[in-house]
Amino acid sequence: MGLARIWGYALAGLEAVPVRVEAHVRPGLPGITVVGLPDAAVREAKERVRSAAANSGFPLPSQRITLSLSPGDLRKEGPGFDVPLALATLAAGGHLPLGCIDTVGAAGELGLDGALLGIRGALAIAKTAAAQGITGLLVPAAVAPEAWQWGGGLKVWGVRTLAEAVSVLRSPEVAAHVERRTLRFSQRARARAGSSTAERLDMSQVAGAGQAKRGLEIAAVGGHHMLMLGSPGSGKTMLARRFPSILPELTLEESLEVTRIWSVCGLHPPGDALLRARPFRAPHHTASAPALVGGGSFPRPGEVTLAHRGVLFLDELPEFARDALEALRQPLEEGVVTIGRRNATLNFPARFRLIAAMNPCPCGHYGHPERECTCTAAAIAAYGGRISGPLLDRIDMVIGVHPLREGFLEQGLVEDTSASVRVRVEAAVAFRTWREQQLRAAEPARGAAGRAESALVAMAAHYRLSGRARSLLAAFQARAAAGARAVSRAMRLARTIADLVQSEEVAEEHLAEALVLRNRDHLHRDRW
Amino acid sequence: MVESREIEAGLGVAVLAAAGFQWLLRLVYRFGGPVHVWESDAKRLRDCGLGTDRVERFMRARESVDLERTRARLEETGSWFIPYGSDLLPPLVRELHFAPGGLFVAGRRTLYEEMRLAPRAVVVGTRRASAYAHAVTSRIVVPLIARGAVIVSGMAMGVDTFAHKSALDHGGLTIAVLGCGTDVVYPARNRSLRHRILEDGLLVSEFPPGTRPAKWTFPLRNRIMAAFSHAVVVVEAGVQSGALITVEHALELGRAVFAVPGSILCEGSRGVNGLIHQGATPIVDTDAFVEEFLCATRNEMNGGGVARPAAVVRAPDSPGREEASSVAGNLVLQALCREPRTIDEVARHTGLEVPEVTQAIGVLELRGLALPLGPGRYAAM
């Protein structure tokens, strides 16, 4: 009888924070008290702990049990504390040798029968646990493969019941056995994840739309954002859904990042090891600003963070609420979302590719070769005007998607498959990485001289513009009176296009293509 | 030299006509000028069959009207008044049966001189313009500008706006005939266009400064437009379109009417196709049209000559004469000449790859040889 300690984990944003869980059994009126800012779900744990312990054959002593969670000023949320609370109580109640769980971490929800149920954020917890350097982490078997992926020398025990957890802690033999079992399961789950990327959606299923496909390919290489403009039924959604199939595979590092986010949000299916497919998120246009960028009093990541390293598809862009669209500006530019709250400011990663789609006018038929548009000029302009200038500025490509003209399907066009596009994309990305390394190596040599150059000249040198490309750029600036952001964005786009043909120099034709893809006139802002 | 009597009478008629005495305009032509209307006594008016109380009301209004204020307002807004009797008015304005007391003009005076001697084409059409209408408007306006013509239109949304903009974009002279005072911004969306026209064109109205647009002002405006023209071009018009009113006035004044054929399936083209059915000249080829137009004007102007023979600042040449600098550019330009096309369509027609076409269009666009039209479509200039 006495005092026992174990580690538990609270989720704050995308990170897990270690929480000391203590149990003290002392004489007094029988009862359990939980202190240390527990939320309702944590407070309810005492009922589950009592029943689960009894049903696992470990009756709790009829004495006063005090459970404490520290640091005391951190709000603890969710049912993940059931297991550490139960184990600490059992240790304090004499069912486990005292002191044997001091350097063990545990997380999981309990059923009344003593079964361990899955929790959110297993990967985040494993990351924190590995950094702590504890002896081992006890998690429900359902999420063990996920927790195991973190590696970092962390021992992971995936257990199914409270009784099994107790025997793992009591006997080294059982512990070793459970550890091997977890390893086997996890490796199998990982292999399964690798093979499931073979998808049914393929670019070759979309006929025509060559320019839009080209835009997607460029977006895939350079991480650019793109807006598709076209009548209903022209294939905008089909194209967007197939975009992930041409993206390069997630690296292990990226995969861990994405899995951690999805798992914290409770979207990672239990039993799966890692997410290998790029995320594709398509929130409905009624989504609110917090739903898109994240928020809430326990801040949760929004759609942009779920789309991290993947694709955010916004269909019917002008139908989204204005404040929701404006909230996208920060993540579009910086790749992170900052959410400020009274007690903390959280940063959620949000490096996604935005693919947006919209009709050219309210009725959708403006510019359609056969259908008649019934909108007034003012209505068309107002429709395009719902997308604010600053937001549009951050979208690199505006591309018209057109319905196929009749008789086109019979011509039997051969379209590129996603696999062949992906080969090109991956080659371009590899070239880009190599080029950037070269650039970084050469940078210090230019450093001092570079300071005197005007920003534009420096940029031209950075992007390696050819002479003819420079004169084209000058012509563009003179004609369009283009601002600095427009110019630098156009150059970035041109750089990506040059990467696609693995050219170290940005030539005239690359810049010319970039200027066409960036052209916003299609939205009729001031044309009429 | 115009007498001050003439100016005063003209101003008076214009102010009162805008204030509800529209019947005055019917008398201007009949009496041979606003002076005779303005200074006529009650008996003469009654002899014309006007009711006693109408005449009474006119007499009272004539006494109380404050022309000084109108003059001050003119001064303030930087516009000026050309009375009915002035030689500066296009002669046809005096031929109108419902003639104005004079015209209010805003803009640079030197441009007005230039405009008076140049051939003038009215380009009008629906406010609900299709992408096709926009494509055609610029294709018609640009060669006209290149030959020194002035583009007259009504600054309404749609075809009118696009006609003005294409003219300005290509260094041409344009006149907006308004259904409100020259100092009133209408439609509000065209605020910046109005500024551009004040710089490089003219605003014309028969309504004194401060007159708000009303339902009845626009049909009146259309007859002034017709009187300014040597020919009228209707780009796209439904059966209810105001452009048809302009055509009626133009026919009364003996002007040539050209019409751009539209799809017979489109409700919005019914009016313009009807014109062709009734005998308007269909525009089948823009070059031929421009020749025909200039021919008609030259006769009209008694060999007075074209004032601005291609004195155009940035007029791009038609694709027949201008060569794109690359092989791909030429192929693309040829494909775009036939009709506005998407990049995908051009790629299909030329056999080039999509990126090649896009690159060629980028260069062509910067050189003013191709222009974007509607979502993702391009046309050759």
Side-chain angles (χ1 to χ4, degrees), chain A residues 209-211 214 360 366-367 372 374 376-377 381 402 405 408 472 476 479 509 512-513 516 519 522 526-528, chain B residues 127-128 131 134 162 165 189 266-268 342-345 348 354-355 358-359 362 365-366 374-378:
Chain A
Q211 208 204 350
R214 168 79 174 167
Y366 186 79
E372 197 174 347
T374 56
T376 60
H402 304 273
R405 290 205 177 168
F408 188 71
L472 190 72
F476 167 67
R479 195 185 159 102
E509 63 258 32
E513 187 175 355
V516 170
N519 200 332
H522 308 304
D526 344 285
R527 281 190 88 76
W528 38 76
Chain B
R127 281 173 293 165
R128 297 185 177 201
H134 289 302
F162 202 62
K165 281 192 178 168
R189 187 169 285 281
C266 281
E267 201 60 44
T342 68
I343 287 178
D344 285 353
E345 284 164 359
R348 215 146 52 231
V354 168
T358 315
Q359 289 157 7
E365 200 189 336
L366 273 184
R377 224 169 266 277
Y378 287 83

Side-chain angles (χ1 to χ4, degrees), chain B residues 174-219:
Chain B
T174 188
I175 300 175
V177 183
L178 306 179
C180 53
T182 51
D183 58 338
V184 176
V185 182
Y186 184 86
R189 187 169 285 281
N190 273 344
R191 182 177 296 274
S192 69
L193 175 63
R194 186 175 166 277
H195 275 289
R196 287 182 67 190
I197 294 181
L198 274 177
E199 283 293 309
D200 297 320
L202 297 165
L203 297 176
V204 170
S205 172
E206 67 173 297
F207 305 105
T211 310
R212 313 294 315 171
K215 241 185 183 154
W216 57 271
T217 60
F218 292 103

Side-chain angles (χ1 to χ4, degrees), chain A residues 45-58 86 90 110-115 162-163:
Chain A
K46 60 189 181 190
E47 295 307 324
R48 284 195 291 266
V49 167
R50 193 187 283 287
S51 299
N55 289 330
S56 305
F58 311 112
L90 292 181
L110 277 179
L112 293 185
D113 58 351
L162 188 59

Side-chain angles (χ1 to χ4, degrees), chain A residues 440-474:
Chain A
R440 264 197 296 279
E443 205 66 37
R446 291 194 326 114
R451 211 148 298 151
E453 294 166 346
S454 83
L456 205 62
V457 173
M459 197 153 63
H462 176 81
Y463 287 106
R464 308 262 312 249
L465 254 66
S466 75
R468 296 191 59 176
R470 268 176 222 223
S471 52
L472 190 72
L473 188 68

Side-chain angles (χ1 to χ4, degrees), chain A residues 104-297:
Chain A
V104 167
E109 183 178 345
L110 277 179
L112 293 185
D113 58 351
L116 264 65
L117 310 171
I119 43 157
R120 297 188 286 122
L123 193 59
I125 290 171
K127 182 189 170 204
T128 305
Q132 270 181 295
I134 58 174
T135 354
L137 181 67
L138 246 169
V139 289
V143 297
E146 184 194 327
W148 179 82
Q149 300 302 325
W150 186 259
L154 180 72
K155 249 185 231 173
V156 177
W157 297 301
V159 294
R160 301 200 179 93
T161 61
L162 188 59
E164 196 178 19
V166 170
S167 43
V168 164
L169 295 170
R170 269 188 189 154
S171 125
E173 289 82 51
V174 178
H177 167 71
V178 169
E179 198 189 332
R180 275 198 304 278
R181 187 184 69 194
T182 307
L183 177 77
R184 215 164 48 237
F185 278 171
S186 304
Q187 281 170 337
R188 226 179 285 156
R190 188 161 182 167
R192 213 168 42 234
S195 66
S196 70
T197 45
E199 280 157 29
R200 289 165 295 117
L201 295 179
D202 198 282
M203 273 291 174
S204 61
Q205 293 158 343
V206 187
Q211 208 204 350
K213 285 179 178 173
R214 168 79 174 167
L216 290 175
E217 192 173 330
I218 294 167
V221 173
H224 301 285
H225 309 302
M226 176 169 136
L227 169 62
M228 289 187 280
L229 205 59
S231 316
S234 53
K236 304 181 294 275
T237 311
M238 263 184 104
L239 283 162
R241 293 212 176 271
R242 280 154 186 78
F243 183 43
S245 70
I246 65 164
L247 289 173
E249 283 221 354
L250 286 171
T251 62
L252 181 62
E253 208 174 306
E254 288 174 333
S255 187
L256 285 170
E257 254 182 291
V258 173
T259 308
R260 184 151 66 92
I261 295 167
W262 280 55
S263 161
V264 165
C265 296
L267 292 173
H268 187 56
D272 266 17
L274 279 183
L275 273 170
R276 297 315 291 265
R278 297 251 171 199
F280 180 88
R281 302 295 299 178
H284 189 248
H285 60 72
T286 49
S288 65
L292 272 187
V293 298
S297 53

